[in-house]
Amino acid sequence: MFTSVDDVSARLAETGYLASPAVATTVFLADRLGKPLLVEGPAGVGKTELAKAVAEVAGARLVRLQCYEGVDESRALYEWNHAKQLLRISAGRDETWDEARTDIFSEEFLLTRPLLTAIRGDEPKVLLIDETDKADVEVEGLLLEVLSDFQVTVPELGTITATRRPFVVLTSNASRELSEALRRRCLFLHIGFPDEELERRIVRLKVQGLDETLARSIVRVVGALRAMDLRKVPSVAETVDWAHTLLALGAESLDETVVKATLGVLLKHQDDVLKASAKLDLDAL
């Protein structure tokens, strides 16, 4: 998909995703080496958006597996359409079981889920395995065959191997440690909070009409909040939301009144709001 690291940066920027040199380099290598990309970092720093941007750049279909506690093989790989199978069996009452079994365990009755969908067909795809750390440890075993050989075994149909490998992005908020077996199959990228200059560029790109001076003030205040011992520091997504908020309020600069009135956009816990209200010194920024 990409000819160079600079090509990655330029094309992602066209979609509105401003990539740091580390991000652009790792994306280029994942594409060139055909390796899955494991992206870790706090929530709201652009991990999921990176996969969406790559899909847009490549003109590829985005296939997303949203992980959560309890997700299993039937939600990740495939399952059989049991209702349709029962109807088929009922319609052929005079058939033997062997005759019916050959029919009901065929492609017509197979419901593909994200992992199987991603490796079937010849169209370009980006497989996003989102919040991998929220899934149970057992689910990682389902991923290993896909990420090692890009194939899935369906006992009734045999092994289905990808004719065109998808670009794979796994994201993790590091709420639990992922297995070494899974990590070995991936290139690793950590996306943290951007530096002040990059975050200012991101905010101005996402919030049209935002004044340069106000953008600098916003980013500095958010940086000061991140330096505090809070339960949940504001992410880049929340910085953008706050900029939209201030623009909607017609604020031309930041003062104590407007900051305290809008802290709920940045902070999501009352004790964080109280701590920030007491400690934040706008004159020192």
Side-chain angles (χ1 to χ4, degrees):
M1 291 187 290
F2 304 104
T3 58
S4 67
V5 174
D6 289 340
D7 183 45
V8 175
S9 297
R11 293 174 64 187
L12 290 181
E14 291 174 1
T15 72
Y17 191 98
L18 299 182
S20 68
V23 170
T25 300
T26 311
V27 168
F28 172 73
L29 291 174
D31 174 48
R32 185 58 57 94
L33 301 176
K35 300 274 285 184
L37 177 57
L38 171 60
V39 187
E40 280 190 346
V45 294
K47 302 185 299 296
T48 300
E49 292 304 314
L50 176 59
K52 293 179 179 180
V54 171
E56 184 176 344
V57 163
R61 175 186 174 188
L62 180 69
V63 180
R64 181 173 183 171
L65 171 60
Q66 180 63 52
C67 295
Y68 54 88
E69 185 178 351
V71 67
D72 58 12
E73 182 175 343
S74 65
R75 297 297 180 187
L77 282 173
Y78 70 92
E79 63 181 326
W80 294 103
N81 189 331
H82 299 301
K84 190 173 181 179
Q85 286 176 324
L86 288 173
L87 288 173
R88 171 62 183 82
I89 292 171
S90 298
R93 293 185 181 277
D94 296 332
E95 290 181 318
T96 66
W97 167 241
D98 286 339
E99 292 171 333
R101 179 177 58 188
T102 301
D103 194 8
I104 65 173
F105 289 110
S106 62
E107 290 276 357
E108 181 182 353
F109 298 87
L110 185 68
L111 299 175
T112 61
R113 300 308 184 198
L115 295 182
L116 182 54
T117 298
I119 68 170
R120 302 182 83 193
D122 296 324
E123 64 176 316
K125 299 186 187 75
V126 172
L127 171 60
L128 169 61
I129 305 174
D130 212 8
E131 298 185 301
T132 311
D133 53 321
K134 289 188 177 180
D136 298 327
V137 175
E138 291 76 14
V139 173
E140 292 186 29
L142 300 178
L143 300 177
L144 295 181
E145 182 181 16
V146 176
L147 300 183
S148 295
D149 303 313
F150 289 91
Q151 64 182 29
V152 170
T153 300
V154 181
E156 297 84 356
L157 299 178
T159 299
I160 301 172
T161 303
T163 55
R164 180 170 186 166
R165 290 190 174 192
F167 185 96
V168 182
V169 178
L170 302 91
T171 73
S172 170
N173 296 333
S175 61
R176 73 168 176 85
E177 189 67 26
L178 300 177
S179 71
E180 290 301 321
L182 183 61
R183 288 180 177 276
R184 281 198 306 271
R185 287 161 173 78
C186 305
L187 296 184
F188 177 76
L189 172 66
H190 181 271
I191 299 181
F193 296 117
D195 60 35
E196 185 175 315
E197 180 185 354
L198 179 56
E199 187 161 19
R200 179 178 51 79
R201 289 173 56 209
I202 292 171
V203 171
R204 294 208 69 196
L205 178 66
K206 298 292 185 181
V207 186
Q208 299 298 316
L210 187 68
D211 178 75
E212 171 73 18
T213 302
L214 183 57
R216 289 184 182 276
S217 298
I218 288 171
V219 170
R220 285 173 181 168
V221 170
V222 171
L225 292 174
R226 289 178 186 152
M228 295 182 186
D229 183 21
L230 303 178
R231 290 176 61 184
K232 171 66 172 66
V233 297
S235 67
V236 178
E238 285 150 351
T239 306
V240 172
D241 287 343
W242 195 39
H244 279 297
T245 299
L246 296 172
L247 201 62
L249 292 174
E252 298 180 355
S253 62
L254 295 182
D255 56 40
E256 185 174 347
T257 300
V258 73
V259 170
K260 288 187 175 181
T262 57
L263 274 177
V265 178
L266 291 169
L267 307 176
K268 308 303 180 182
H269 299 279
Q270 178 62 11
D271 51 347
D272 284 349
V273 172
L274 294 175
K275 184 179 292 186
S277 297
K279 292 186 174 182
L280 193 60
D281 184 1
L282 295 179
D283 293 333
L285 300 178

